[in-house]
Every structure is written in structure tokens, then in C-alpha cells.
Amino acid sequence: MASVPSLASTVQQRLAEGLSAALPEAGSADPLLRRSDRADFQANGILALAKRLKGNPRELATQVVDGIPANDVLKEIEVSGPGFLNITVTDEAIVRTLAARAADDRLGVPFAPDAGTTVIDYAQPNVAKEMHVGHLRSAVIGAAMVEILEFTGETVVRRHHIGDWGTQFGMLIQYLIEHPHELDHASDGEVSGEEAMSSLNRLYKASRALFDSDEEFKTRARARVVDLQAGEPETLALWQRFVDESKIYFYSVFDKLDMDIRDPDVVGESGYNDMLAETCRILEESGVAVRSEGALCVFFDDVKGPDGNPTPLIVQKSDGGFGYAATDLSAIRDRVGNLKATTLLYVVDARQSLHFKMVFETARRAGWLNDEVKAVQLAFGTVLGKDGKPFKTREGETVRLVDLLDEAVDRATSVVREKAEKVGLTETEIVENGQYVGIGAVKYADLSTSAARDYKFDLDQMVSLNGDTSVYLQYAYARIRSIFGKAGDRTPVAHPELALEPAERALGLHLDTFGEVVRESAAEYAPHKLAAYLYQLASLYTTFYDLCPVIKPAPPQDIAENRLLLCDLTARTLHQGMALLGIRTPERL
């Protein structure tokens, strides 16, 4: 089905027609329409137009209003102040628009006209290392942006740039050669993520201790790095064991997060090894990079160190080794050249902003990024504890991600269990809903904060039934679903002829803006805007539910049907919006 024009776009069109009828000399002037607290909309464009035409804005505004023919969309237009237009739409227009949205699987949300291909780099854990709270935001924000962009029609390629290469693998592989059973498992069956990580942790600590205390082992480990980089078969096979073992663990964590990670999307640092030398050659031959004290560097006028000297991006070290920059630049070449990306989106900690600024500028100078292909860092802040300091355990250790997620699910399950008897939930439903509510709480707390800001990780607040939490939204959805269980033979039917109560109008007008908010969230890489919209939707629904009876006391049939239309569209919008944030909406809660 074709997308449904929003009320804003319909009003905009009527105003534009009035403008050109009253003032042909205005050309195609923009009415500058926006939502308003005083009326449904306000148009501010006549002020700028009056300046251009050297006329009195209030008189021009009156002319425009007089030039708009009577119609079924605009109920009242008031000229206000120096020439603003305060516009109220008809109840009929609201109901007709909502009915059209309800008839569409996509709720009337249009596809973006300029959709391209975005490669999203997110959820980047390190092989043989445990995932901690610092890995949470990249995964959650990145997964939400995948869903939001795909919903607008963008072709999205997921990329998990895992840390699977580097000097530490010489130490790990050499230790495994000398202690060949360290990655063996007690059971022959399927290995759990915890079991895999336990083996890797034990091996990592033991190999690090030996590396730091035994010079001969250190020498052997460094020689093993050379073998790894040369592609020596036995060394590569053992390296692959570490990668495979780590993936068992990663996937178990992503599974807890209710995130879909697919094997072909995991392309770590090692995936670009064959391109590194060529990347350096191209940069040096084109003059983008120059040799400085034996290293291959790119310099920038605006990047200087504390001593005032230029700080370069080092692409290749003086000993011939490649740095992160060489890998990141090779990844850009691959994503633009092979994946045909029009946008590269990096969901990466704000503390890496300078590195990516330098990498993107280098890629532009090399011609890999240009007017047709852009790179953007969706930089995010730090997860803080309740005390406002970076989140740590009592012992000062970094918090393990699995522990944090398990605790969220435990807390949420307690909240669900308290209400379970009233709703008649089975034990299976309590456990399942506890997971959906707990993981939803963690995701929503992250996504309802602007990514650039730090946020406090407070589980008590996150699983609260009151305030701006996912649980509040999930309960709003479940409450609406329960209404339909009691509606009997009454079904959602649009009645445009009915007058709407203020709470119905407010809810209807908000429902109509869903498409605008999705578009804005996609264009600005701002999932928090969608989260804020959904919270407001649930709040408006709560007011509507309190003031406008749907089932009891039973209103007349036509009013009940019209209100059920509002209920149905609210539930579907909540469900779709939450899905775009990666959060489940249980039918009963």
C-alpha cells in the first residue's frame, strides 16, 4: 500500500495552495509549518515572505487565510501576533488519516525516497577477552539503527569488527602449543558461552603471567607472532581455535541481549590483512601519507599534541608493522569498493573520535570518501554507576556484561511475578516475560538517552512501572491487548462523523506523527527521538484510557468502535516502535 500523507503534509499542501492563490508573486513559498501547543499547527512562513515582498505580514496572513477555500481538513485558522497562523484541523480529518494508517501494514510510514546502502560497524568485542559493560552501548545502539534504517528502506550491511588480530595472539598460541589441553572441555556435548569464556580466561591469565615472568617464553611468543602474520598453517589453525571459542561466548551474550548476530557479518581485523600493504602503497604513492622517522604518517593542520607539534595518523610503524589506522582504512576501501556503501556508520565510543576524524579525512584525501559516499561516527558516552562515576564493581573491576544482564532479568522477573496472579500468567510466561522486560529495560535506558551523553545504570529505576521506562511502555501495550479480549463483538471501525474528546484528539494527532519521527530518527541516527515519541504515546494513551471509556461503562456502539480504532493503532504503533528499538512487547503482562 502507498504511504499515508500525514496531517502535517496535508495542511502544508492546503496552505501552499492558499499562498499561491492569494499571492501569485510569492512563487512556491514554504509556509514553515510546525506542531504547536496553542493549536494543532502553527505556520510561520509569512513573516519571511512579507520581508521579501516588502508587505505587512499580518495583512498578508489575512489575505492568505481568505484565499483558502472551505475544505474538510482545516477547521479554523487564526491570524496571531505579527502574522503567525494558528491552525486547527477537523476531527474528521484526524479520524480519516488514522483509518488510512490502520489499513496499512506499515502504519502509513513511507520508505525514504533517497535510500542507499549503509554499512553499520557495531558490537565489536575482542577475541579471548570477556565482554564488559563498555561493550553494551555499541551493541544496543547499533542494533536499533539497523532496524530503524531497514524500516525506512535502506539496504543495511552489518559489520562486527571484532579484535581478532595482534601481538597478544603470539602469547596465547604459544601457550596453547606448550599446554595443548587448556582449551579442552569437560563435556563432549554443546559448549556453553560461560564454559568457553572460562577456558579462555584461564588460558589468558596463565599465558600473561608466563609472558611477564619468563623471558624465554616471551621470545618464543614474539616469534609466534611472526609465524601468525606469515600465515604459517599450524599457527593459523590454533588462532582459528581462539576465534571459534570466542564466538561461542560472543553469540551466547548477544543471545541474552536478544540480538541477531550472523556469522557472515563478523569480519574482524584479520579480514583486511591482505589489503594492508596495498592500502599503504596507495596512500604513499598518492602523497596522502609520507614517511616520517621511518613510519608512514598522515598529517593534519588542526591536530596537534600538547607540545604544539602535529600529531600524525600512523598508518605503518617504523618497524613495518601495521596500526589500527591501516586496518580501518582498508575496511573503508572494502566497504565502499566491494559492498558499494553510500554511508559508513561507526557506532564507536566518543573517546575514539579523534582517531576516526583522522581516518575519515585520510579516506577523503585518498578519494575513497566523497560527495556520494560519507562516513559518520555515531559516538556514544560512558555507562556510569548510580554515583555518577564509570560503572565498576565494588572491587573496582569492570562489570561483566553477562552479570549485568542476568541481574536485570532477575529484577524484572520479580516485578512480573508480583503482577502475574492478577493476569493469570503461567510460570513459563513469567520466566519469558521476565527476560523481555529485563533486557528491554537495559536497552531502553540506553536508547532513551541521547547517544552522545553518559547515562547512569540504575536497575531500580529501569524496571520501575512508573516514569520513562520500557516496562511502562510494555504494560501500556499489554493493557490495550487485554481490552480486545473484553471487547466482545465490538471491533475497531472509523467514524469520521463523530466529534472527538480532547484526549482522543491529542492521542490521534500524536499517532499521526509516527512516520515523521521514524524518518528523523533514521536521518539523524537518533534512536532516542523514537524512544521519546513512544513514551509520550504511552502517556497520552494512559490519559485517554482514564478519560474515555472503551468497554466499561459501555459507550454507544459508534463511539466504542472509534475508540477501539485508537486503541488498535496505539498498540500497533507501540509494538512496531519498540521492535525498531529491539525491545519485545509481551501480549500479557
Side-chain angles (χ1 to χ4, degrees):
M1 184 172 169
S3 64
V4 178
S6 67
L7 283 166
S9 62
T10 306
V11 171
Q12 173 101 353
Q13 188 183 347
R14 297 291 158 92
L15 282 182
E17 288 164 1
L19 263 170
S20 55
L23 306 164
E25 67 275 29
S28 55
D30 187 345
L32 295 180
L33 192 73
R34 62 177 182 80
R35 304 270 162 186
S36 169
D37 295 332
R38 293 190 168 186
D40 298 334
F41 298 95
Q42 187 175 76
N44 303 335
I46 291 172
L47 295 177
L49 184 61
K51 206 170 183 181
R52 180 154 66 84
L53 298 179
K54 298 184 170 51
N56 179 312
R58 201 173 164 88
E59 286 175 13
L60 287 180
T62 306
Q63 273 179 263
V64 170
V65 173
D66 292 343
I68 298 173
N71 60 78
D72 58 359
V73 175
L74 304 177
K75 180 182 179 182
E76 185 183 355
I77 306 180
E78 175 205 20
V79 178
S80 167
F84 301 124
L85 299 181
N86 289 332
I87 299 150
T88 304
V89 295
T90 64
D91 291 351
E92 179 186 347
I94 294 173
V95 176
R96 285 194 189 283
T97 302
L98 296 183
R101 291 195 178 285
D104 179 30
D105 289 344
R106 288 177 53 81
L107 305 173
V109 178
F111 287 107
D114 54 350
T117 297
T118 297
V119 175
I120 301 190
D121 189 324
Y122 71 109
Q124 310 106 342
N126 292 311
V127 165
K129 288 190 182 171
E130 194 139 27
M131 289 177 73
H132 54 76
V133 68
H135 290 110
L136 181 64
R137 299 205 74 185
S138 177
V140 169
I141 296 167
M145 283 317 310
V146 167
E147 298 298 330
I148 291 168
L149 287 169
E150 284 189 334
F151 190 63
T152 65
E154 188 80 0
T155 300
V156 176
V157 182
R158 301 156 169 83
R159 276 292 173 267
H160 306 293
H161 190 87
I162 64 172
D164 66 350
W165 204 249
T167 52
Q168 76 273 21
F169 284 99
M171 174 184 87
L172 294 167
I173 293 166
Q174 188 60 36
Y175 189 86
L176 190 58
I177 286 171
E178 295 175 18
H179 304 80
H181 299 296
E182 282 298 302
L183 278 184
D184 294 352
H185 296 290
S187 60
D188 294 333
E190 195 172 322
V191 178
S192 71
E194 280 288 308
E195 214 181 331
M197 195 64 240
S198 171
S199 303
L200 288 165
N201 257 342
R202 191 177 60 246
L203 193 149
Y204 189 89
K205 284 175 182 167
S207 63
R208 169 54 70 186
L210 195 58
F211 186 86
D212 290 341
S213 62
D214 184 332
E215 284 299 320
E216 288 182 2
F217 176 74
K218 187 181 279 189
T219 303
R220 293 195 299 277
R222 284 179 171 153
R224 188 61 58 185
V225 175
V226 177
D227 292 340
L228 178 63
Q229 289 172 339
E232 192 274 316
E234 184 199 11
T235 305
L236 268 185
L238 290 169
W239 167 80
Q240 190 63 51
R241 273 193 75 184
F242 282 103
V243 174
D244 292 343
E245 195 79 6
S246 296
K247 279 184 178 177
I248 294 170
Y249 164 68
F250 296 157
Y251 292 175
S252 74
V253 178
F254 290 128
D255 194 47
K256 265 186 204 289
L257 266 171
D258 198 14
M259 273 174 55
D260 177 28
I261 300 284
R262 298 183 295 232
D263 220 47
D265 304 333
V266 180
V267 182
E269 293 166 2
S270 64
Y272 306 101
N273 282 346
D274 295 345
M275 300 175 71
L276 301 180
E278 189 182 15
T279 296
C280 291
R281 180 182 61 74
I282 294 169
L283 292 173
E284 189 167 15
E285 287 179 1
S286 62
V288 172
V290 294
R291 292 281 166 190
S292 175
E293 297 175 23
L296 187 62
C297 303
V298 183
F299 289 92
F300 310 87
D301 293 337
D302 59 341
V303 183
K304 293 183 168 64
D307 56 3
N309 292 323
T311 301
L313 181 71
I314 299 172
V315 185
Q316 190 176 23
K317 301 170 198 166
S318 53
D319 64 2
F322 300 105
Y324 287 122
T327 306
D328 288 333
L329 288 161
S330 298
I332 289 176
R333 283 179 56 214
D334 175 61
R335 292 165 184 184
V336 174
N338 297 327
L339 301 177
K340 308 301 179 198
T342 48
T343 303
L344 306 177
L345 183 62
Y346 291 77
V347 188
V348 184
D349 192 312
R351 287 169 291 193
Q352 295 187 46
S353 293
L354 179 59
H355 169 77
F356 279 101
K357 179 186 171 188
M358 293 160 82
V359 165
F360 296 163
E361 176 56 29
T362 300
R364 267 191 289 276
R365 292 180 190 177
W368 304 326
L369 299 176
N370 49 47
D371 292 344
E372 280 74 52
V373 186
K374 65 175 179 175
V376 181
Q377 183 192 355
L378 203 179
F380 55 82
T382 306
V383 181
L384 306 175
K386 285 187 193 179
D387 58 1
K389 295 175 181 169
F391 201 21
K392 302 271 197 218
T393 64
R394 284 182 187 155
E395 296 74 39
E397 301 279 318
T398 306
V399 178
R400 291 184 348 139
L401 188 50
V402 285
D403 292 344
L404 187 139
L405 298 177
D406 286 345
E407 190 183 348
V409 169
D410 287 347
R411 294 275 193 97
T413 306
S414 301
V415 171
V416 172
R417 196 177 291 283
E418 279 171 28
K419 299 252 183 184
E421 198 174 324
K422 190 176 170 188
V423 188
L425 296 182
T426 64
E427 183 60 27
T428 304
E429 285 177 310
I430 291 170
V431 171
E432 190 175 78
N433 287 354
Q435 287 182 314
Y436 294 159
V437 171
I439 298 304
V442 171
K443 289 182 177 180
Y444 186 84
D446 190 326
L447 296 169
S448 59
T449 307
S450 167
R453 290 175 52 199
D454 298 343
Y455 84 96
K456 286 184 184 176
F457 196 94
D458 181 348
L459 273 178
D460 293 329
Q461 171 58 31
M462 286 179 189
V463 298
S464 168
L465 297 173
N466 303 310
D468 188 4
T469 65
S470 67
V471 198
Y472 177 66
L473 302 182
Q474 286 167 322
Y475 266 104
Y477 175 78
R479 177 193 275 176
I480 302 172
R481 298 309 308 155
S482 74
I483 285 175
F484 283 94
K486 302 167 190 164
D489 58 355
R490 294 185 171 189
T491 56
V493 180
H495 287 277
E497 73 283 359
L498 289 176
L500 296 177
E501 294 291 334
E504 294 175 298
R505 286 187 109 259
L507 179 59
L509 285 165
H510 191 68
L511 281 165
D512 184 54
T513 62
F514 181 54
E516 294 168 27
V517 172
V518 169
R519 186 186 68 240
E520 208 174 299
S521 302
E524 297 175 20
Y525 308 122
H528 70 280
K529 293 197 167 183
L530 176 56
Y533 168 87
L534 295 170
Y535 173 60
Q536 197 180 349
L537 177 60
S539 303
L540 288 167
Y541 181 80
T542 301
T543 304
F544 158 80
Y545 181 81
D546 290 344
L547 298 175
C548 304
V550 182
I551 306 296
K552 286 182 181 176
Q557 177 90 1
D558 54 354
I559 292 176
E561 289 175 343
N562 214 41
R563 287 177 180 170
L564 282 170
L565 175 77
L566 280 166
C567 291
D568 178 56
L569 194 53
T570 300
R572 288 170 58 199
T573 305
L574 278 172
H575 176 75
Q576 180 63 73
M578 293 287 266
L580 295 180
L581 297 179
I583 300 172
R584 306 260 187 166
T585 40
E587 296 290 304
R588 301 197 318 146
L589 201 55

